[in-house]
Amino acid sequence: MIRLTIDRAREILDAAGDVAVLVVGDLMLDRYLRGSVDRISPEAPVPVVRVAGEGATAGGAANVAANVVALGARCRIVGCVGEDAGADELARELEGLGVETAGLVRVAERPTTVKTRVMAMHQQIVRFDHESDDDVDDRTALRLVAAMESAAEGSRAIVLEDYNKGVLVPSVVRATLERAVAMGVPTIVDPKRWRFFEFTGATVFKPNARELAEAMGEPVRPEDEAWLEEARLRVAAEHLLVTLGAAGMVLQGPDGHVLRIPTVARQVYDVSGAGDTVTAVTAVALAGGATPAEAAVLANHAAAVVVGKSGVHPASYEELLRQVERAAPDNEAHAKP
């Protein structure tokens, strides 16, 4: 049984305030047009949205970075953007959050990934994606590796955040993982299907249940320790952290140690961005000296915070500590050797 007290949670997060986390991966700008619908277009059977406001937030790997700085840690980010207005807007958004953006690699031949959502009465009407999901070319990969090498200096944890948008090609993945090993810092991988088995050697490999099932070619069996151990060995990670939605999480570690972490969410309004939050909090906690088990339990609390909000919003330092305190004395996870 793992019990995370409020004092220990505060100790971990306070230590994280003195460290930097590097996030490498697919950057996005999430743009929103919000309004109301009161009629159908005479031109086609579609709703007419009267736009009342608009805004943009950091998405993809950039949302992981937003979650890192919300907890008080420093964050450096490496990724690919275009030479366009979307890149400028994303850079401004990140800089406004306090994220270090020297690692943004601008490529004229690729657009910045921008996802524009049209919302009416809290419902998404349609989404427009401007993006290229082709792998970056060799020259761009070399620029990304150089940016990573520079940003890694002094970092205490490294995140690889994959959204299948072409940044985490094998050369970038391998260089980043090797750099982390050389520095002796933990790596946290949030994978997607295309290169699920490329991230060998990660400290924490964090798929959700659907992603793991697709990669393994069979349903996830979170109650089966032997199956979880087989999955951990397949991805060649020190720890396998599987998020299970309403069922919480399960952490499979070396030597068959299993930690089952039940959900502590009381209300679920919106699960958008929860996976990014879990990745970020795991990284921040490990950078702050937490064990993988403590990091997973703390990340589970952070997920409870963000799913209780409407829209994509990080969990702040204060919100996370309040959640840990509110959950006591039920704040525990169960380990089985």
Side-chain angles (χ1 to χ4, degrees):
M1 182 173 66
I2 304 296
R3 186 183 298 275
L4 185 69
T5 66
I6 182 65
D7 289 339
R8 178 56 179 153
R10 184 178 288 109
E11 181 181 9
I12 292 168
L13 292 176
D14 286 347
D18 297 324
V19 302
V21 173
L22 169 60
V23 178
V24 182
D26 294 307
L27 308 178
M28 305 179 194
L29 180 70
D30 288 336
R31 187 174 285 140
Y32 294 88
L33 299 176
R34 297 183 175 87
S36 59
V37 173
D38 56 17
R39 65 191 179 97
I40 299 299
S41 171
E43 304 167 352
V46 295
V48 175
V49 179
R50 185 185 296 271
V51 176
E54 58 185 284
T57 60
N63 185 45
V64 175
N67 276 269
V68 168
V69 296
L71 296 173
R74 301 194 311 280
C75 188
R76 301 154 181 171
I77 198 158
V78 171
C80 189
V81 294
E83 292 185 354
D84 50 28
D88 295 337
E89 190 172 0
L90 179 58
R92 286 194 300 271
E93 180 69 22
L94 288 169
E95 289 162 1
L97 294 170
V99 177
E100 299 176 28
T101 59
L104 294 183
V105 174
R106 294 189 178 234
V107 181
E109 298 78 17
R110 293 174 67 94
T112 302
T113 298
V114 179
K115 299 183 180 296
T116 302
R117 297 166 176 86
V118 179
M119 312 290 294
M121 302 299 291
H122 305 293
Q123 296 293 320
Q124 186 175 147
I125 303 299
V126 68
R127 191 179 89 181
F128 305 97
D129 290 358
H130 292 82
E131 64 181 12
S132 169
D133 58 6
D134 294 336
D135 285 352
V136 297
D137 59 26
D138 292 344
R139 179 174 174 273
T140 301
L142 287 173
R143 293 176 63 195
L144 287 165
V145 169
M148 177 277 296
E149 293 282 358
S150 177
E153 189 67 34
S155 297
R156 293 280 294 277
I158 299 178
V159 173
L160 291 100
E161 180 68 31
D162 192 9
Y163 271 89
N164 283 343
K165 303 303 177 188
V167 165
L168 292 180
V169 294
S171 61
V172 174
V173 170
R174 188 48 41 200
T176 304
L177 291 171
E178 289 175 355
R179 177 73 158 129
V181 170
M183 294 171 58
V185 301
T187 49
I188 301 86
V189 169
D190 192 354
K192 290 295 180 288
R193 182 65 188 94
W194 288 357
R195 291 200 168 94
F196 199 86
F197 296 104
E198 292 280 351
F199 301 92
T200 55
T203 307
V204 177
F205 190 85
K206 194 230 79 178
N208 61 37
R210 178 183 57 79
E211 292 163 344
L212 183 57
E214 290 177 353
M216 295 293 287
E218 60 182 323
V220 170
R221 302 203 293 269
E223 300 301 323
D224 185 338
E225 288 84 4
W227 190 93
L228 290 170
E229 178 64 4
E230 179 185 352
R232 185 184 73 84
L233 294 174
R234 281 279 305 277
V235 300
E238 185 176 346
H239 297 269
L240 174 66
L241 177 62
V242 186
T243 56
L244 304 170
M249 305 178 187
V250 60
L251 179 71
Q252 177 81 14
D255 304 319
H257 284 82
V258 182
L259 181 68
R260 305 192 188 286
I261 310 169
T263 184
V264 291
R266 297 186 178 186
Q267 293 179 313
V268 178
Y269 289 108
D270 192 341
V271 299
S272 302
D276 293 341
T277 296
V278 170
T279 302
V281 174
T282 301
V284 169
L286 291 176
T291 66
E294 289 174 328
V297 172
L298 195 61
N300 188 51
H301 282 288
V305 172
V306 299
V307 300
K309 303 179 181 183
S310 178
V312 179
H313 301 284
S316 69
Y317 172 98
E318 294 81 7
E319 288 173 324
L320 184 48
L321 287 181
R322 282 199 300 271
Q323 166 61 34
V324 173
E325 188 170 32
R326 184 164 54 242
D330 298 325
N331 182 21
E332 61 186 40
H334 299 277
K336 182 175 180 179

